[in-house]
Amino acid sequence: MAGHSHWAGIKHKKALVDARRGKLWSKLSRAIIVAARAGGGDPAFNPRLRAAIEAAKAASMPKENIERAIKRGTGELEGSVYEEVIYEGYGPGGVAILCEALTDNRNRTTSEIRKCFEMHHGKLGSANCVAWMFERKGLLLFDAASVNEDLVMEVAIEAGAEDVRHSGKKIEVITALEDFEKVKEAFHRANIQPEMAQVSRIPKETVEVDADTARKVLKLMERLDEHDDVQNVSSNFNIPDDVMAELEKEP
């Protein structure tokens, strides 16, 4: 099971908990602020902002919070200035890990991210040490048990998706960046709702890991994802189906 698929499933479950705690709202606010600053405050003309707002609404973020974040991004309200930083490194088993963050204090965040890697059998690397292993793509994830796979494939192909993959208990639909919104809208019209739909960094090739390494990699990714400044974490690990079945039995 490809790492991005398994991790996306974990993220989907975590988001429900994080949303109840309100923790997720802080990260979503940053994404809205940066998107509005980069492309303006009108989501009709700013796809990145539109996607950030959709993610915020999916997490039940109040409308006033969303509007306030947009105004901070456009400069109508004062607020912290965030910069985008990508951290790259290696996790257990030598898997590549790429971490996208939004921070108002690069030195502090870098120090904390380095510590996360070191505490979980990993090592923070230099710029571009693993970024070349990933491609930015649109990713839609479906629960294979809840949808008609043939229909998912039909909608995806007609909408111009690049690939449809069966990964464990999930079905992945991969799109080019420029086709992501079109494909997502096609599924909306077909009344087939994905568990998750976002722009992701998809590995060009994967590294197969055993159960022990998989546990360690997932702990590192969860620790990174829990950091307040981190927006997304990607990796190129692959968990074989028999190993995945073993992990799922664990508490």
Side-chain angles (χ1 to χ4, degrees):
M1 187 175 189
H4 56 270
S5 179
H6 182 73
W7 178 241
I10 292 175
K11 284 272 290 180
H12 176 69
K13 293 176 183 177
K14 280 180 84 280
L16 301 179
V17 177
D18 288 345
R20 286 196 294 270
R21 296 204 307 262
K23 180 179 180 180
L24 186 60
W25 292 353
S26 175
K27 294 191 177 191
L28 293 169
S29 290
R30 293 190 188 192
I32 292 171
I33 290 168
V34 173
R37 188 181 69 195
D42 189 345
F45 299 99
N46 186 344
R48 180 177 177 181
L49 176 60
R50 185 164 62 249
I53 291 173
E54 288 176 2
K57 288 180 177 178
S60 301
M61 189 172 169
K63 181 179 179 181
E64 56 269 25
N65 292 39
I66 295 174
E67 293 176 345
R68 188 160 55 246
I70 293 173
K71 289 180 179 179
R72 284 177 177 166
T74 57
E76 295 175 67
L77 292 177
E78 291 186 2
S80 299
V81 177
Y82 297 104
E83 64 173 317
E84 299 175 80
V85 185
I86 294 180
Y87 295 101
E88 305 173 47
Y90 299 92
V95 303
I97 293 181
L98 192 150
C99 183
E100 300 171 75
L102 298 175
T103 177
D104 59 356
N105 187 328
R106 181 192 284 255
N107 290 336
R108 170 185 51 78
T109 302
T110 300
S111 175
E112 292 172 354
I113 295 299
R114 179 180 289 107
K115 186 175 181 180
C116 285
F117 271 93
E118 293 174 350
M119 290 179 62
H120 291 81
H121 311 281
K123 182 178 180 180
L124 184 65
S126 58
N128 298 317
C129 68
V130 302
W132 60 272
M133 301 181 191
F134 298 85
E135 295 179 295
R136 282 174 60 80
K137 300 284 186 180
L139 172 66
L140 293 90
L141 200 67
F142 300 86
D143 178 8
S146 303
V147 296
N148 183 312
E149 185 172 353
D150 290 336
L151 183 56
V152 168
M153 183 168 291
E154 179 183 332
V155 173
I157 291 174
E158 289 184 358
E162 287 187 351
D163 196 9
V164 179
R165 308 170 184 172
H166 208 292
S167 182
K169 297 179 181 180
K170 306 295 181 182
I171 299 174
E172 301 176 352
V173 175
I174 310 294
T175 80
L177 281 181
E178 60 269 21
D179 295 327
F180 176 58
E181 292 294 334
K182 180 177 64 174
V183 173
K184 188 168 66 172
E185 179 59 29
F187 279 105
H188 178 72
R189 290 196 302 271
N191 199 30
I192 306 174
Q193 300 304 320
E195 284 187 343
M196 186 209 73
Q198 66 179 40
V199 173
S200 300
R201 293 183 184 269
I202 307 296
K204 298 175 183 177
E205 295 183 1
T206 57
V207 176
E208 193 166 291
V209 296
D210 58 23
D212 184 56
T213 302
R215 292 186 193 97
K216 292 176 180 177
V217 171
L218 290 174
K219 284 182 180 179
L220 171 56
M221 293 186 69
E222 287 189 49
R223 181 63 180 271
L224 289 169
D225 185 68
E226 287 171 357
H227 193 286
D228 289 341
D229 296 343
V230 172
Q231 292 284 310
N232 294 295
V233 186
S234 305
S235 184
N236 68 340
F237 68 90
N238 180 69
I239 304 176
D241 289 342
D242 59 330
V243 174
M244 191 68 245
E246 178 184 339
L247 295 179
E248 288 181 338
K249 293 178 183 178
E250 298 177 356

